Amino acid sequence: MASSLTGQVAIVTGGARGIGREIALVLARDGVDVALFDVNPQQLEQTVAELRAMGRRAEGLTVDVTDGKQVDEGMAKVLDKLGRIDILINNAGITKDGLLVRMDDAQWDRVLTVNLTGTFLCTRAAAKHMLKQRRGRIVSIASIVGIIGNPGQANYAASKAGIIGLTKAVAKELASRGITCNAVAPGFIKTEMTEALPEPAKQRLMEAIPMGTLGEPSDVAQAVRFLVSDAARYVTGHVLVVDGGLAM
Ligand code: NDP
């Protein structure tokens, strides 16, 4: 049976690897054509090849989400090559951790610029097209750190809390035009980032997570899949926490 998503076009930022790649693959399995915006050309090529091998139309665009001109040009290329923009997934994100008193201005600025300004620039550009279509789905990847905080991550926590505020403002602004805007807030997910944690830190983390295990990228991707599907047509301004119970 064809999914309600078949034939739609999605943009996934930071989609070349990690959670973004998994989101792209899950959407493609549902018949979605996908454009990836990323700064990692080798990884982009690889993920685009995987998407095409699934029979989907796919484009990998080298777009830095912090550059408004590149974002606007990227959106225009997606419209030219894939014809429409139905779904935007703001996933590109970075960390530059450090304790508050040792955090320098550059660490603060870079994380806020990639995570929050990047989300704003892509949301604004995609919304212009979605408003014309009177239909669209926007999902941004926040983090439970934006809800409960985390020592050593003042910049990251502020950027992710900012994404939650942005999501709610945009949801209210665009709701009457058939556009929903939601966020997914993952807890700790098995990626290269969490692989790098020392074993004792991992152990402490497992003990704090009620479900006793880290999440998989597919756990985040399935939450995104729900929020962009017709099943979530009446859900907007929501923050869907995917964390095994950690933030409770
Ligand atoms: P990864 O670092 O594995 O992947 C992020 C991708 O985004 C990379 O391909 C990266 O390129 C790309 N990217 C970085 N900066 C930019 C930019 N300026 N413009 C476009 N693309 C960019 O991250 P994860 O998959 O772990 O995380 C994805 C999202 O999920 C992030 O927003 C993160 O904050 C969030 N998250 C992750 C959690 C986790 O446990 N992993 C938990 C909670 C939230 P490059 O390879 O060159 O760096």
Side-chain angles (χ1 to χ4, degrees):
M1 206 178 75
S3 132
S4 66
L5 294 171
T6 302
Q8 294 197 26
V9 172
I11 295 172
V12 183
T13 73
R17 68 182 175 105
I19 293 170
R21 170 181 167 275
E22 186 64 27
I23 293 169
L25 293 173
V26 163
L27 294 181
R29 243 171 257 141
D30 262 341
V32 176
D33 294 326
V34 185
L36 308 175
F37 284 6
D38 206 291
V39 288
N40 186 330
Q42 288 80 28
Q43 276 293 138
L44 259 179
E45 211 173 295
Q46 207 171 309
T47 305
V48 165
E50 283 181 84
L51 293 165
R52 289 186 179 152
M54 294 165 77
R56 299 279 87 78
R57 292 188 300 161
E59 297 294 330
L61 303 172
T62 306
V63 173
D64 180 338
V65 297
T66 68
D67 182 328
K69 190 162 174 282
Q70 287 186 32
V71 168
D72 290 345
E73 286 170 1
M75 296 276 168
K77 272 191 203 148
V78 176
L79 285 171
D80 182 43
K81 298 209 178 237
L82 302 177
R84 47 192 297 124
I85 300 167
D86 302 290
I87 297 166
L88 169 68
I89 312 298
N90 290 305
N91 164 82
I94 60 164
T95 52
K96 286 198 183 295
D97 298 350
L99 293 173
L100 177 71
V101 292
R102 291 201 205 117
M103 186 174 287
D104 62 33
D105 296 5
Q107 258 172 304
W108 171 267
D109 284 342
R110 188 64 193 153
V111 170
L112 266 292
T113 304
V114 175
N115 298 5
L116 185 55
T117 306
T119 299
F120 160 69
L121 292 172
C122 293
T123 302
R124 183 177 64 182
K128 286 181 188 163
H129 302 290
M130 290 175 178
L131 281 166
K132 287 188 203 141
Q133 291 173 184
R134 296 210 145 241
R135 208 197 159 281
R137 292 276 192 268
I138 301 166
V139 178
S140 300
I141 309 302
S143 164
I144 57 161
V145 169
I147 301 170
I148 61 172
N150 202 23
Q153 290 198 309
N155 50 0
Y156 187 74
S159 74
K160 295 299 187 178
I163 286 177
I164 291 172
L166 172 66
T167 296
K168 292 182 182 186
V170 171
K172 284 192 174 172
E173 222 172 285
L174 304 183
S176 65
R177 313 295 183 89
I179 301 166
T180 67
C181 185
N182 291 288
V184 171
F188 287 89
I189 305 298
K190 266 183 220 156
T191 58
E192 282 170 35
M193 188 179 88
T194 45
E195 274 301 303
L197 286 174
E199 210 39 58
K202 257 193 220 165
Q203 209 44 51
R204 277 197 304 276
L205 199 51
M206 301 290 196
E207 281 160 21
I209 299 171
M211 291 184 81
T213 178
L214 300 185
E216 300 285 343
S218 63
D219 294 318
V220 180
Q222 291 298 338
V224 169
R225 177 176 180 244
F226 165 68
L227 289 170
V228 302
S229 74
D230 279 357
R233 58 175 282 277
Y234 203 53
V235 180
T236 197
H238 187 69
V239 183
L240 182 46
V241 173
V242 179
D243 70 343
L246 180 60
M248 266 192 294

